[in-house]
């Protein structure tokens, strides 16, 4: 009897030992998961540390941006560059701010490894994404400009453009179209931006002075109403010329006449309209030149009720000529896929697309006020939408929506087969 009892006790002890080991392994697994799992202590601690560093970077940049706001309420770019130089280690496009200053907003600077986007309104935001050339990464995946995003559902919406906004004689109604989507870059909220694979088949009509004055807002609002309400969208807007310039690495300042200032007046001494120009930001002006053509003896700025003429011989305000032109395929010769993406149309690679970018071109007779466009394969404009001699024309062209995704969306896939939002 005693022998059988001893064997039974040894058996129980062995089973208990195995069970104990299993329990300890389970507890160890739970402990490891608690420490290192997706919601583990170490993971949360790491995330908290990361967020603290991000918040500190954001705060440093925000303070310098606030210090750069002038009495007019706008950010002074020169002051901004000087003030950002106070932040240790800050870089802009891989260089110090002194060697590569910001020339326009929005713009991205890097502080302590964080990408901080400075917006035009003076607000700042930290982005998980960083862009170098055509590649965009968040440290986990790398996507490329032009990659397809396969499952953005824009939904079904409609919007109306009133006559008082477009200048056209009728109200315009637009509805959402299935356009397909590709990666464009990083949005102002730090999330990815998508560009429609095709321009709309429907067109927007902008007419004359009203169309020029409201064109940017009309296009951005229409795109947001139609395409900015999808499941993963933060907002939407229209493609603009700055988007294309960035992809093409084009500097508008290189275009002859860009940034020149003009003034117009009616001279009672000469009995005709005259113009003068300045190529050095108004420091010096050329002698007044006569405008003798009969059709150009009046001058009115868009939105103004005052007409300069023989009956009101006054001098106009300074007007900056902001027009420039380049052929997209030539400027992007090293990446024809991106060039084709921008110029793409429904059955026509040179479809005309309105851009949410007003522009002015000044000349010897008049100043014309227009909307920029992708036209005949180039960054161009609509020609005369409104002229200072009060002529008006309308344009009936496609639009190209750009969707800004929520900053926390995740992608899976690859550049060859396309990406899906998960």
């Amino acid at each position: 009897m005693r022998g059988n009892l001893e064997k039974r006790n040894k058996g129980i002890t062995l089973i208990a030992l195995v069970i104990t080991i299993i329990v300890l392994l389970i507890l160890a697994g739970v402990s490891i998961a608690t420490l290192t799992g997706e919601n583990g202590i170490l993971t949360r601690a790491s995330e908290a540390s990361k967020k603290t560093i991000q918040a500190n970077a954001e705060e440093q940049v925000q303070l310098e941006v606030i210090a750069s706001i002038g009495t007019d309420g706008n950010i002074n770019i020169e002051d901004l560059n000087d003030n950002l130089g106070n932040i240790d280690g800050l870089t802009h496009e891989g260089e110090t701010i002194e060697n590569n200053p910001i020339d326009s907003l929005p713009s991205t600077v890097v502080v302590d490894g964080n990408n901080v986007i400075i917006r035009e309104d003076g607000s700042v935001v930290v982005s998980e994404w960083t862009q170098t050339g055509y590649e965009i990464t968040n440290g986990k995946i790398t996507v490329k400009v032009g990659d397809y995003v396969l499952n953005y559902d824009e939904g079904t919406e409609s919007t109306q453009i009133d006559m008082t906004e477009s200048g056209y004689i009728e109200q315009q109604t637009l509805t959402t179209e299935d356009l397909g989507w590709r990666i464009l870059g990083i949005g102002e909220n730090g999330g990815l931006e998508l560009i429609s694979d095709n321009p709309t088949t429907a067109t927007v009509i902008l007419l004359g002075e009203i169309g020029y004055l409201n064109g940017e807002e009309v296009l951005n609002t229409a795109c947001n109403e139609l395409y900015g309400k999808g499941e993963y969208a933060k907002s939407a807007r229209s493609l603009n010329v700055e988007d294309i310039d960035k992809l093409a690495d084009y500097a508008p300042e290189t275009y002859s006449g860009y940034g020149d200032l003009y003034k117009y007046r009616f001279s009672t001494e000469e009995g005709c309209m005259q113009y003068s120009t300045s190529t050095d930001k108004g420091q010096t002006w050329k002698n007044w030149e006569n405008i003798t053509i009969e059709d150009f003896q009046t001058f009115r700025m868009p939105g103004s009720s005052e007409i300069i003429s023989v009956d009101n011989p006054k001098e106009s305000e300074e007007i900056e000529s902001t027009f420039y032109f380049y052929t997209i395929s030539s400027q992007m010769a090293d990446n024809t896929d991106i060039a084709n993406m921008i110029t793409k149309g429904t059955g026509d690679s040179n479809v005309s697309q309105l851009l949410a970018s007003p522009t002015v071109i000044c000349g010897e007779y008049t100043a014309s006020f227009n909307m920029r466009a992708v036209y005949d394969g180039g960054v161009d404009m609509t020609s005369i939408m409104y002229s200072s001699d009060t002529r008006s024309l309308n344009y009936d062209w496609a639009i190209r929506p750009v969707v800004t995704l929520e900053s926390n969306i995740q992608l899976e896939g690859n550049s060859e087969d396309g990406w899906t939002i998960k």
Side-chain angles (χ1 to χ4, degrees), residues 128-148:
E128 296 287 337
W129 297 93
T130 182
Q131 183 170 352
T132 303
Y134 293 135
E135 290 192 343
I136 307 167
T137 183
N138 62 0
K140 299 175 183 177
I141 62 171
T142 298
V143 301
K144 297 178 181 178
V145 174
D147 285 356
Y148 286 92

Side-chain angles (χ1 to χ4, degrees), residues 110-346:
V110 178
V111 179
D112 295 332
N114 294 287
N115 307 300
V116 185
I117 300 173
I118 306 172
R119 299 163 169 158
E120 289 184 82
D121 64 2
S123 60
V124 303
V125 63
V126 174
S127 174
E128 296 287 337
W129 297 93
T130 182
Q131 183 170 352
T132 303
Y134 293 135
E135 290 192 343
I136 307 167
T137 183
N138 62 0
K140 299 175 183 177
I141 62 171
T142 298
V143 301
K144 297 178 181 178
V145 174
D147 285 356
Y148 286 92
V149 174
L150 306 175
N151 66 329
Y152 175 68
D153 183 2
E154 57 276 297
T156 303
E157 304 289 341
S158 65
T159 190
Q160 294 180 330
I161 302 174
D162 194 80
M163 296 179 290
T164 59
E165 298 169 340
S166 68
Y168 188 55
I169 58 175
E170 296 178 0
Q171 180 173 271
Q172 301 170 65
T173 300
L174 304 174
T175 57
T176 307
E177 300 178 41
D178 183 10
L179 301 174
W181 299 94
R182 302 173 73 173
I183 291 173
L184 178 65
I186 303 172
E188 287 194 357
N189 72 330
L192 290 175
E193 282 193 322
L194 309 181
I195 182 174
S196 64
D197 188 30
N198 295 285
T200 57
T201 57
T203 55
V204 172
I205 303 174
L206 298 175
L207 172 62
E209 178 181 11
I210 294 175
Y212 166 77
L213 291 172
N214 299 322
E216 183 176 4
E217 183 178 356
V218 164
L219 296 179
N220 284 329
T221 299
C223 286
N224 189 49
E225 290 294 317
L226 294 174
Y227 299 96
K229 298 180 179 181
E231 181 180 357
Y232 304 104
K234 173 69 175 178
S235 60
R237 60 178 177 83
S238 168
L239 186 69
N240 59 47
V241 73
E242 290 80 13
D243 295 322
I244 305 174
D245 290 347
K246 181 178 179 180
L247 293 176
D249 193 26
Y250 182 80
E253 296 79 10
T254 61
Y255 190 83
S256 177
Y258 177 82
D260 288 356
L261 298 179
Y262 283 71
K263 291 189 295 187
Y264 299 83
R265 73 178 185 184
F266 192 93
S267 169
T268 53
E269 181 180 347
E270 297 294 335
C272 63
M273 289 293 296
Q274 297 179 317
Y275 77 96
S276 179
T277 62
S278 172
T279 59
D280 56 7
K281 304 296 183 182
Q283 298 299 310
T284 59
W285 289 86
K286 293 182 179 179
N287 293 331
W288 290 96
E289 297 282 346
N290 290 338
I291 303 173
T292 58
I293 299 177
E294 185 177 349
D295 290 342
F296 299 103
Q297 297 306 306
T298 60
F299 183 98
R300 182 170 69 84
M301 289 288 291
S304 172
S305 60
E306 184 174 62
I307 299 177
I308 298 173
S309 67
V310 63
D311 297 322
N312 185 32
K314 298 183 67 175
E315 185 176 301
S316 77
E317 61 187 78
E318 297 176 4
I319 308 169
E320 182 178 7
S321 188
T322 59
F323 171 73
Y324 53 90
F325 168 85
Y326 60 88
T327 302
I328 295 172
S329 58
S330 297
Q331 191 66 26
M332 300 185 191
D334 60 338
N335 199 317
T336 56
D337 183 53
I338 303 301
N340 291 337
M341 178 181 77
I342 296 299
T343 58
K344 186 176 181 180
T346 305

Side-chain angles (χ1 to χ4, degrees), residues 5 32 48 64 168 242 308 324 356 371 419 421-422:
L5 183 59
I32 292 171
E64 301 303 343
Y168 188 55
E242 290 80 13
I308 298 173
Y324 53 90
M371 294 300 295
W419 301 89
I421 302 172
K422 60 178 181 177

